[in-house]
Amino acid sequence: MSMENKVLVLLGPTASGKTALAVALAKQLDGEIVSADSRQIYRGMDIGTGKDLQEYGSVPYHVIDNHEIGDAYSVAHFQKEAIDAIQDIRSRGKRAIVCGGTGLYLESLILQYQFSRVPDFLEKPLKYAFEFQIFGLNPPLDVRRERISIRLKQRLEAGLVDEVKGLLDRGISTDALAWMGLEYKWIVNYIEGVIAKEEFEKGLETAIHQFAKRQMTYFRKMERAGIEINWIPDTLDFQAKRDYILNFI
């Protein structure tokens, strides 16, 4: 299969700059983005999940905002939605770019997970013949930590706590929100008075650092499972990172 037809995958831990780079690639390659993020599928969870929808500009995106909080959702649902989106994008002669940090979702797609029983919403097992070209962003630890801290501060200033209050006002249960983890879990505890503001901000920041570490551990596990990830040198500036990928193609 020629490189033209390969599905590009851009993965990395939180705050590594995936979205901006995927958008730059999509503009260059007449592409569309398929999100591989387990929380961006939910409507109303915008600031906390870092959807950054304004970053996409004119670039179409898929598997974002396509479910209500509380909908049943699994790896199999993601696999089906991502495959449908990729087939749709390719049928229109565009380039599919999968972008995200949920390792399990990415792995299920790349390794064509087959489930021991066919999920209820499918009539038969999924079959597809895409080839994937996978690139990774992995900033050095100190850079990653700094970016996470800056970004959390920006999100709090952008109204993250109010976003969660608004979801609770809409009748979404504290349990459903806490189940979304990280920002949502910590903010629910803060709103309910379980923890004080300073403890909430410090604790959440630590939790996000730990989450990024777990993401990297999962990506290393994917490599051990035989998935080849081309890690983009972090010393490159933004344009050079984009060109690094384009030069592969």
Side-chain angles (χ1 to χ4, degrees):
M1 183 178 279
S2 76
M3 283 298 298
E4 317 285 65
N5 293 329
K6 288 197 176 177
V7 175
L8 291 184
V9 176
L10 184 60
L11 56 77
T14 190
S16 56
K18 298 182 294 290
T19 304
L21 190 54
V23 167
L25 284 168
K27 286 178 175 166
Q28 195 73 28
L29 297 167
D30 192 19
E32 300 187 9
I33 294 172
V34 179
S35 169
D37 184 295
S38 61
R39 302 189 308 167
Q40 291 188 3
I41 58 170
Y42 298 109
R43 287 188 276 274
M45 293 172 51
D46 301 333
I47 301 171
T49 63
K51 281 179 194 159
D52 302 326
L53 297 181
Q54 69 289 349
E55 274 195 50
Y56 289 90
S58 59
V59 173
Y61 53 83
H62 306 260
V63 201
I64 291 180
D65 281 347
N66 55 342
H67 287 273
E68 294 297 340
I69 297 167
D71 282 1
Y73 200 83
S74 64
V75 175
H77 286 90
F78 167 76
Q79 205 186 24
K80 169 85 168 72
E81 287 175 6
I83 293 159
D84 286 349
I86 292 168
Q87 284 171 336
D88 168 48
I89 292 164
R90 287 159 62 110
S91 73
R92 290 181 280 106
K94 310 274 189 187
R95 169 79 74 152
I97 300 169
V98 177
C99 174
T102 302
L104 181 61
Y105 284 13
L106 291 159
E107 189 177 53
S108 76
L109 187 62
I110 296 162
L111 294 182
Q112 286 215 30
Y113 275 15
Q114 295 295 327
F115 301 94
S116 51
R117 66 175 189 81
V118 177
D120 303 337
F121 58 89
L122 291 177
E123 286 168 16
K124 55 183 194 297
L126 294 166
K127 286 209 167 26
Y128 51 101
F130 311 137
E131 275 192 57
F132 297 91
Q133 179 90 36
I134 302 144
F135 296 92
L137 287 169
N138 180 20
L141 185 59
D142 55 334
V143 175
R144 184 178 86 202
R145 292 184 74 86
E146 186 188 11
R147 285 186 196 161
I148 286 172
S149 301
I150 290 168
R151 199 173 70 165
L152 175 58
K153 193 163 173 283
Q154 287 169 340
R155 288 182 180 177
L156 288 167
E157 284 166 2
L160 179 53
V161 173
D162 285 337
E163 173 171 286
V164 177
K165 284 179 177 163
L167 292 168
L168 292 169
D169 289 345
R170 266 177 44 200
I172 289 162
S173 73
T174 51
D175 284 355
L177 278 178
W179 187 78
M180 295 296 169
L182 290 176
E183 297 83 356
Y184 297 91
K185 182 174 128 210
W186 282 85
I187 290 172
V188 163
N189 282 338
Y190 166 56
I191 290 171
E192 293 193 317
V194 179
I195 49 175
K197 186 165 194 269
E198 193 184 351
E199 189 191 345
F200 143 63
E201 289 181 0
K202 280 208 173 109
L204 174 54
E205 189 174 338
T206 302
I208 297 171
H209 289 312
Q210 290 166 342
F211 171 65
K213 189 178 168 190
R214 287 197 302 276
Q215 285 178 297
M216 282 311 305
T217 302
Y218 201 99
F219 300 143
R220 299 298 183 205
K221 177 179 107 61
M222 286 166 62
E223 289 184 296
R224 289 196 298 278
I227 293 173
E228 189 187 336
I229 302 172
N230 299 294
W231 293 101
I232 302 164
D234 202 71
T235 46
L236 300 176
D237 67 17
F238 184 79
Q239 295 303 109
K241 282 178 180 159
R242 187 199 65 180
D243 295 344
Y244 178 90
I245 295 174
L246 293 174
N247 288 337
F248 259 86
I249 298 168

